[in-house]
Each structure stands twice: as structure tokens, then as C-alpha cells.
Amino acid sequence: MSETRPDPKHGLALGGTVAGEPLLTLEDVHVSYGNIRAVRGISMEVRQGEIVTLIGANGAGKTTTLRAISRLIPIAQGRMSYRGRDLTRYPAHQVVGLGICHVPEGRGVFANLTVRENLMLATYSRRGKGDINQDLERVYSTFPRLAERRNQYAGTLSGGEQQMLAVGRALMTGGDLMLLDEPSMGLAPILVEEIFRILVEINRQGTTLLLVEQNARMALQIAHRAYVLETGAIRVSGPARELLDDPRVREAYLGA
Amino acid sequence: MEFWLQQTLNALQLGSIYALIALGYTMVYGILRLINFAHGDIFMVGAFVGLAGALWLGLPMVPTLLFTMACTALLGVTIERLAYKPLRNAPRVSAVITALGIGIFLEHFVLGTVGAEPRAFPALIAGGRFDLPGGLTVNSVQILIIGVSVVLMLGLDWFIRGTLTGMAMRAISWDRSVVPLMGINVDRIISLTFAIGSALAAAGGVLFGQAYPIIDPYMGILIGWKAFIAAVVGGIGNIRGAMLGGYILGMTEIYVAAVLPSTYRDFVAFTLLLLLLVFRPTGILGRVQAQKV
């Protein structure tokens, strides 16, 4: 049982300090939907090898931030760069090629495609970046249940399996930075633990994670650093372990 | 029995043409939820492009077919880029009205440039009748139409099921918003869908010209409506459904005309098809898809 639980000390591995090179940098990013200012001047950074979590209440702007990074929605002002490249110069379908993969809110698997087709579709714009079959085998060994169900339509999978498929699909893009939007949403606690254990494993194998979560306790337990978002702006940030003990965070997001 | 088998051959010939046109309706509906009412007129333009290829350029059968499919594919993509793409996020009724307008434009463009009088489409293959077992005879045009249609449809079916681009089309039909995250340019896939749908309708136009060798600028209206109904009967959005619907419509029309005066043909055929939709509103192979917000 203890094996399936995310390692609470994982955050110590990097000591909550500077990891590798900066991968993703956001500077004073604003996003508006019509007259609604959903994100109001966010600055943040994700470094190579980290798990960074973005926590906050419903409507705080977490999903909007991820969608802006993936270029699914335009930003009103500010700068976003990935490995030094200006992200705003790329349309959404080219962001994947830069190395950013996105597990969207609600999983977004294609129910009318089989598990294998969902995974293969994510390699659409991959050219010569590693061995696709090897990655497929890696996804199947990370998620044995997907291997068992490879020829089933994704619509026949359970919620937990669909979340695994969404993560597996992101891995198949060959990206280095994975954006995850509420992977725990709607899942039983035991499945949430399993997903988080796998996320830690994926991170150990070299993928950097930017994790958006309402389940703040779980997210802070596996993350190295965290940003707390409130009504479109960052209120608190720091090493995840310190935020777990921060009275402001405990009161507002950890229910203690 | 022999009589009915002979009628079945005729039905397969007519149904093939309906099926080729129905595929364009169903593919575009599948990815854009747009009923492309200009599609019947694309079929008509295809027939005229084929006429130009055969008559002016003197092309033989297969080059005429390929030339027509390529030109009409280009027309379909141009229409999509100029007329439908700017309306991608507009209310759906705007796109439907635009499609109706494009259809009228195409009819009258051909009317103005080619003229209103019906044109004879030259025969591009040698005539001939072949005896089949059981006293049936099949002519070379029937072999051509059924053969070309089946090859095109098998090719399409393989493309949709077996290639990444075909998977992308199916993915877009489920949830377009997530598709860019797979590194897929949605606009390019939509254009390709219009290209394929238009090329298939164009092939239908050339084949139609071989079977019913009189073409005119308004020929796409009734045939287009019928092919649309075939797509709905098969289950709109479903590729195999469009093929099936085309053949069902062909059979219904031919069998009705075989036993009743031919003036009853469309009346009885469409009564039957509408009844089918009363009992199976999503069409034969259609599924009720969860509405996405």
C-alpha cells in the first residue's frame, strides 16, 4: 500500500530550490474573456526537472493560465517564453512541437477512437524525435490497463482509465514539459493516489510537470514549488513543503 | 427473380452515385456540424469540369476522372476558405445560409458561362454488354460506375480508419477544441475534408455523365437533396452510413419504379425513407452523440 502512495519526501530531492535551466517563463501575463479579466499579471517560472503546482479555488484562473501557455487562448499582454522562444509567436498546434504537452481539464480523450488511436494521434506532428514504438511500449508499461484495453474505444474506459490515457497521450507527443489540468477531478481517492504516484514516476524519468490542482494537499505533497492563485493573480509562492505549513495556505486550501 | 436481380444492378449503379455525393455531406457535417447545401452543386460543377476535360482537352476516362477530381477539390477548398472559414465561430445558421448562397452562385455561374441548354456528355468507354450467369446482363457503364465507386469508397474507408490524418478527422468530429493539443492544424484537416468530399462528388459527376449523358446547371439540386437524404438515412456524420444510405436510396427508387408508374417513384421512395427516420431518427448507423457544451 505504501508503494502506491506518493512519496511525501519527494519534494526534498530538489530541496525546493533551483533545479535545472528555466524551461517556461511567464512575465506579467494578462488574459481576458471579453470584459472579464481572468488572469491579471501572472509571473512564474518552471525549471527543467521540476514539479511545479498551481493551486487555487475554482475560477482563480488556473485553467486559463494553462490554456494561454498552450496558445489555445490569446493573451492580452505580457510575455511567455519556452526555452527562450517567444510562445506568442506560435499557433496552438505548433506548441506541441516545441515540447509542451497539455493534459486538458476533463481529460479530452477522443471517445470515438480506440486507446491505441488516441495515443498514436498524439504523434501527428512528431518527426524523427525518438522512437514512437518505444514510447508506445513505455506508455503501456507505465499504464498496464491501457495496454489491456488498447483496441477498445476510449469512450468505454472508466474515468481513471481515461485520465491515464490523457496522460499517456501527452507522453506520446514526446514533450519535455507536461501541463496537467486537474488530473484528480472526479476520481476516487485511491485512483487519485495512483495517478499522482505515476506523475512522480514520470517526473523522475525526466518530464517536467506544471500541475494545476484543486486538491492542494496532494499537489503540494508531490511538488517542488508552488504558486497560489487567487482571482487571477499570484498571492503566495515558494517551496511546496513550506506552503504546506504556511498558515494562509493551510487555512484557505488545506482546510486546517 | 431474374427481373429483380437485373433491377438490383441498376440500383447499384444509381446508388453508387448517391453514395459518392452523400459522403461529402456526411464528412463535412461530421467535422463542422455544417450541412453544406452547396454540395449538390459541387457535383454539378464536377460534371461540367469532366465535360470540359473530355471535350476540350480530349482526355480519356481515367485522366478525365483524375483531372475533374483535382479541379473540383480545389474548388471545394476555395469555397471553404473564402466562405465558411470566416464563419467558423458565427451562429450555425449563418454558415447554412452561406452554403445555400454558394449553391445558387455555382448554378448561375455555370448558367452564365456555359449556358442553360443541356449538354451531352461524351461516352468515354466503349459500350458493351456482358452476360452473367442466370440470364443477367451487365453493361460496361455499370461495371465502370460500380467499380470506380467501390474502389474510391474502399480507399476512403481505409484512409479514415487507417491513417493518422483519418484519425484526426474522427477526433475533430468528437471534440475539435482538444485537437490542436495533439499538434494538429485543425484548419488544414478541415480543408482536406472539403477537398476529399468535393473530389468524390466530382467523380460522381463524371460517372453520372456516363450513365445519364445529359447535364445541365440545375442537375445538382434534386440529386444533391437526394444524396443529402441518403446521408441522413445512413446516419449523418457516419462514413459507412453515407455509403449504405446511398445504396438504400438507389434501391428504393429503382424497385419502386419497377412496380409502380415512374411518376410515383420519388413520392413513394421518400415516404419510405421519411418513415424510416420516424422510427430511427439518427439514421441506420448514426449514434446519439452526447451534446457538448
Side-chain angles (χ1 to χ4, degrees), chain A residues 93 96 111-112 117 124-125 169, chain B residues 165 170 174 181-184:
Chain A
H93 66 269
V96 181
N112 60 336
E117 286 174 335
Y124 193 86
S125 61
R169 201 173 58 173
Chain B
T165 305
R170 285 185 282 146
W174 183 262
L181 300 179
M182 307 294 111
I184 295 165

Side-chain angles (χ1 to χ4, degrees), chain A residues 70 72 92-94 96 102 104 107-114 117-118 120-125 153 169 173, chain B residues 160-161 164-165 167-168 170-186 188-189 287 289:
Chain A
S70 286
L72 290 172
H93 66 269
Q94 286 177 3
V96 181
H102 185 155
R107 297 146 201 155
V109 302
F110 302 111
N112 60 336
L113 268 58
T114 66
E117 286 174 335
N118 268 277
M120 290 308 291
L121 192 61
T123 68
Y124 193 86
S125 61
Y153 285 106
R169 201 173 58 173
T173 65
Chain B
I160 295 292
R161 285 174 191 271
L164 277 185
T165 305
M167 285 174 207
R170 285 185 282 146
I172 290 173
S173 82
W174 183 262
D175 186 355
R176 196 202 305 169
S177 68
V178 181
V179 173
L181 300 179
M182 307 294 111
I184 295 165
N185 184 342
V186 172
R188 198 188 283 171
I189 302 286
R287 280 170 306 185
Q289 214 178 66

Side-chain angles (χ1 to χ4, degrees), chain A residues 206-246:
Chain A
T207 305
T208 304
L209 306 182
L210 174 55
L211 171 65
V212 153
E213 261 301 338
Q214 281 201 69
N215 190 336
R217 186 184 302 278
M218 288 289 290
L220 290 172
Q221 279 173 356
I222 70 162
H224 304 115
R225 290 190 304 112
Y227 293 89
V228 179
L229 208 54
E230 269 176 29
T231 57
I234 289 165
R235 289 282 173 257
V236 188
S237 67
R241 221 162 35 92
E242 288 177 19
L243 262 59
L244 268 176
D245 297 326
D246 188 307

Side-chain angles (χ1 to χ4, degrees), chain A:
Chain A
M1 191 61 212
S2 61
E3 287 165 11
T4 63
R5 202 162 285 169
D7 179 358
K9 292 195 186 71
H10 180 66
L12 292 172
L14 291 161
T17 56
V18 173
E21 295 288 300
L23 274 185
L24 176 74
T25 311
L26 270 60
E27 288 173 75
D28 192 33
V29 168
H30 292 252
V31 184
S32 298
Y33 296 110
N35 292 327
I36 300 161
R37 292 162 65 218
V39 168
R40 312 166 182 204
I42 287 188
S43 296
M44 62 183 292
E45 185 178 77
V46 180
R47 291 176 168 262
Q48 180 109 43
E50 282 189 308
I51 300 179
V52 174
T53 185
L54 195 55
I55 58 178
N58 238 339
K62 308 186 298 292
T63 295
T64 302
T65 304
L66 291 194
R67 290 172 60 81
I69 295 168
S70 286
R71 305 285 297 129
L72 290 172
I73 48 173
I75 64 172
Q77 86 181 61
R79 284 174 300 280
M80 298 192 298
S81 66
Y82 181 74
R83 292 188 185 276
R85 289 199 182 100
D86 180 0
L87 272 177
T88 60
R89 289 164 57 187
Y90 295 86
H93 66 269
Q94 286 177 3
V95 169
V96 181
L98 298 176
I100 300 178
C101 50
H102 185 155
V103 180
E105 188 177 24
R107 297 146 201 155
V109 302
F110 302 111
N112 60 336
L113 268 58
T114 66
V115 168
R116 188 175 179 282
E117 286 174 335
N118 268 277
L119 295 171
M120 290 308 291
L121 192 61
T123 68
Y124 193 86
S125 61
R126 253 177 92 158
R127 279 184 201 91
K129 276 194 292 175
D131 186 342
I132 286 172
N133 285 324
Q134 194 180 315
D135 281 5
L136 191 62
E137 286 313 311
R138 181 183 155 210
V139 169
Y140 284 153
S141 66
T142 308
F143 302 105
R145 269 193 275 182
L146 296 183
E148 290 165 23
R149 289 159 169 67
R150 67 181 80 188
N151 292 320
Q152 284 185 17
Y153 285 106
T156 66
L157 302 182
S158 70
E161 290 162 348
Q162 289 193 9
Q163 188 63 61
M164 292 175 193
L165 178 56
V167 173
R169 201 173 58 173
L171 286 173
M172 290 303 291
T173 65
D176 322 303
L177 171 64
M178 190 183 293
L179 314 178
L180 292 130
D181 198 344
E182 303 251 8
S184 74
M185 193 202 271
L187 299 184
I190 187 150
L191 276 170
V192 175
E193 292 202 350
E194 188 177 348
I195 296 274
F196 273 61
R197 179 184 60 78
I198 289 166
L199 291 180
V200 169
E201 183 55 38
I202 287 169
N203 174 249
R204 283 190 178 139
Q205 289 174 11
T207 305
T208 304
L209 306 182
L210 174 55
L211 171 65
V212 153
E213 261 301 338
Q214 281 201 69
N215 190 336
R217 186 184 302 278
M218 288 289 290
L220 290 172
Q221 279 173 356
I222 70 162
H224 304 115
R225 290 190 304 112
Y227 293 89
V228 179
L229 208 54
E230 269 176 29
T231 57
I234 289 165
R235 289 282 173 257
V236 188
S237 67
R241 221 162 35 92
E242 288 177 19
L243 262 59
L244 268 176
D245 297 326
D246 188 307
R248 292 167 297 177
V249 176
R250 290 179 68 87
E251 190 183 349
Y253 302 103
L254 302 176

